[in-house]
């Protein structure tokens, strides 16, 4: 996104430490065995992380090729680790994802604190291949692994006052160097209306390409809302709070004229600095038309019936 503050240079310790080098070698050796498996990144890239077990094919798939594993995991926005696209892959190794707790709180009858390993078993893990569109004008197709957010919401038993859900990312300036710069009002927060949060397309993702979610993609758990611009999909979540009033999100606080609460993919409503009519699929050369609701209109258009989408952008 727009703001480019200076970041600390990459410390020497981050330049291929020996254990990473050995890991890489191990996976290179395993690459031959992987060749016959469906978990092979688009451009023939061998995968690198621990595999998730018991993942079943989900109902939502696409007739479009998935973006290569390499691009999905090396072209990222995760401002906690810097604003450059390659910063998260280089720096998010410092993120520690165990122990990890996710607090579910606010307007609920059963406030809960989930240990991440219990959360991973909350519901059967499914693969969901989704189109993802960033407001900056690029897009990807990503085979996520996760489960519907609705499964967690039902267990929390929201009260009648719960009209919105707020998502909060970890705050850890020691391990997240971007949080030492004031690009956003940390921690990163996002929000959904209750019906959006309950929608069967909305998932909590814990993996991609059949593997544990890489740190740069928001480990150990992140939100995925495929009909909205990518920034709604908050990464490395530690808190899910049910509230009565529409929450102020980090991007709305930073630039209210540029980022609205809804942020639905809409080729007819341009961002002040970027047209939203077309997009470049990472790995492709020519641009393609952006689809209303990112192509998920049949599933989600009813949520916004009668709303002025110019006003509620
Ligand atoms: N979540 C946090 N905590 N911090 C961020 O900077 N960037 C958002 C979103 N979630 C971001 C975040 C943006 S702008 C996008 S496009 C997506 O993450 C990118 O997700 P990906 O890197 O897994 O493709």
């Amino acid at each position: 996104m727009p703001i480019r503050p200076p970041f600390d240079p990459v410390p020497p310790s981050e330049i291929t430490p020996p254990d990473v080098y050995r890991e890489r070698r191990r996976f290179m050796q395993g690459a031959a065995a992987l060749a016959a498996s469906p978990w092979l990144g688009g451009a023939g890239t061998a995968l690198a992380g621990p595999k998730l077990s018991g993942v079943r094919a989900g109902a939502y798939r696409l007739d479009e090729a998935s973006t290569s594993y390499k691009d999905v995991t090396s072209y990222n926005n995760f401002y906690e680790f810097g604003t450059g696209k390659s910063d998260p892959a280089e720096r998010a190794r410092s993120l520690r994802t165990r122990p990890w707790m996710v607090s579910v709180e606010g307007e609920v009858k059963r406030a809960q604190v989930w240990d991440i390993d219990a959360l991973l078993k909350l519901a059967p893990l499914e693969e969901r291949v989704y189109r993802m569109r960033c407001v900056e004008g690029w897009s990807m197709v990503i085979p996520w692994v996760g489960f519907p957010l609705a499964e967690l919401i039902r267990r929390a038993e929201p009260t009648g006052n719960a009209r919105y859900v707020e998502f909060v990312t970890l705050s850890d300036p020691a391990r997240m160097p971007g949080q030492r710069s004031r690009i956003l009002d940390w921690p990163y927060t996002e929000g959904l209306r209750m019906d959006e949060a309950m929608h069967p397309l909305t998932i909590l993702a814990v993996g991609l390409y059949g593997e544990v979610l890489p740190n740069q993609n928001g480990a150990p758990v992140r939100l995925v809302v495929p009909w909205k611009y990518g920034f709604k999909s908050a990464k490395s979540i530690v808190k899910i709070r049910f509230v009565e009033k529409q929450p102020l999100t980090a991007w709305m606080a930073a630039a209210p004229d540029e980022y609205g609460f809804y942020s639905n993919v809409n080729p007819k409503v341009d961002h002040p600095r970027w047209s939203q009519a077309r997009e470049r699929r990472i790995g492709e050369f020519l641009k393609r038309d952006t689809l209303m609701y990112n192509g998920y209109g049949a599933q989600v258009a009813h949520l916004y019936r009668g709303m002025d989408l110019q006003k509620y952008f």
Side-chain angles (χ1 to χ4, degrees):
M1 261 168 245
I3 320 141
R4 299 211 161 257
F7 280 93
D8 310 327
V10 181
S13 59
E14 296 231 355
I15 303 167
T16 319
D19 56 336
V20 174
Y21 173 77
R22 277 196 296 275
E23 276 288 283
R24 256 184 228 155
R25 266 187 70 84
R26 194 162 69 78
F27 284 107
M28 299 287 278
Q29 283 155 2
L34 266 170
S37 106
W39 308 119
L40 196 69
T45 321
L47 306 188
K51 210 163 161 5
L52 284 164
S53 56
V55 179
R56 61 185 196 191
Y60 296 93
R61 307 192 69 80
L62 288 175
D63 280 341
E64 294 169 50
S66 291
T67 304
S68 77
Y69 179 85
K70 183 161 182 291
D71 284 337
V72 171
T73 58
S74 63
Y75 191 88
N76 303 103
N77 276 336
F78 198 171
Y79 277 18
E80 284 84 341
F81 295 99
T83 53
K85 294 288 180 265
S86 57
D87 290 341
E90 286 161 15
R91 297 177 181 171
R93 259 179 265 143
S94 60
L95 179 68
R96 292 284 164 271
T97 57
R98 292 294 186 288
W100 191 278
M101 301 292 174
V102 180
S103 170
V104 179
E105 55 183 61
E107 290 291 345
V108 287
K109 293 192 195 104
R110 300 166 137 261
Q112 290 161 313
V113 178
W114 286 90
D115 179 274
I116 186 65
D117 293 306
L119 192 66
L120 279 161
K121 296 187 194 110
L122 182 149
L125 296 181
E126 276 178 48
E127 184 178 73
R128 300 278 189 97
V129 185
Y130 283 163
R131 254 178 245 117
M132 304 297 290
R133 167 70 156 79
C134 179
V135 72
E136 294 165 334
W138 48 271
S139 62
M140 297 193 190
V141 172
I142 304 182
W144 298 109
V145 176
F147 58 85
L149 174 64
E151 296 277 358
L152 178 139
I153 296 180
R154 276 190 209 106
R155 285 165 175 78
E157 297 180 27
T159 70
N161 292 334
R163 296 184 53 222
Y164 296 90
V165 192
E166 184 184 40
F167 302 86
V168 184
T169 293
L170 178 71
S171 171
D172 186 358
R175 293 220 160 96
M176 294 175 143
Q179 288 183 340
R180 287 179 241 147
S181 305
R182 305 192 53 168
I183 354 161
L184 288 174
D185 195 3
W186 309 109
Y188 194 100
T189 55
E190 259 308 337
L192 294 175
R193 214 170 58 190
M194 198 60 180
D195 54 353
E196 299 175 324
M198 288 295 291
H199 193 280
L201 279 173
T202 303
I203 58 168
L204 284 177
V206 297
L208 57 82
Y209 267 107
E211 292 186 348
V212 169
L213 201 61
N215 287 357
Q216 60 267 38
N217 294 91
V221 59
R222 57 93 57 90
L223 183 68
V224 176
V225 195
W227 72 95
K228 293 178 181 279
Y229 294 116
F231 63 88
K232 296 301 282 184
S233 295
K235 296 179 167 181
S236 305
I237 293 170
V238 292
K239 198 181 288 178
I240 299 178
R241 185 173 21 218
F242 293 79
V243 292
E244 192 169 356
K245 296 210 175 71
Q246 183 178 294
L248 182 67
T249 70
W251 282 109
M252 289 168 78
D257 298 338
E258 301 191 17
Y259 307 104
F261 179 78
Y262 285 93
S263 307
N264 292 319
V265 175
N266 187 341
K268 295 199 201 84
V269 178
D270 285 335
H271 179 275
R273 286 173 295 123
W274 302 297
S275 162
Q276 300 303 329
R278 293 171 69 70
E279 67 195 55
R280 193 173 79 81
R281 180 71 50 85
I282 298 297
E284 291 179 0
F285 182 68
L286 295 174
K287 286 192 174 179
R288 52 169 77 209
D289 289 342
T290 288
L291 304 172
M292 186 65 201
Y293 298 117
N294 208 21
Y296 298 98
Q299 289 92 355
V300 302
H302 68 276
L303 299 175
Y304 310 104
R305 204 157 287 146
M307 274 175 71
D308 177 351
L309 300 180
Q310 297 278 343
K311 187 172 168 203
Y312 297 102
F313 58 94

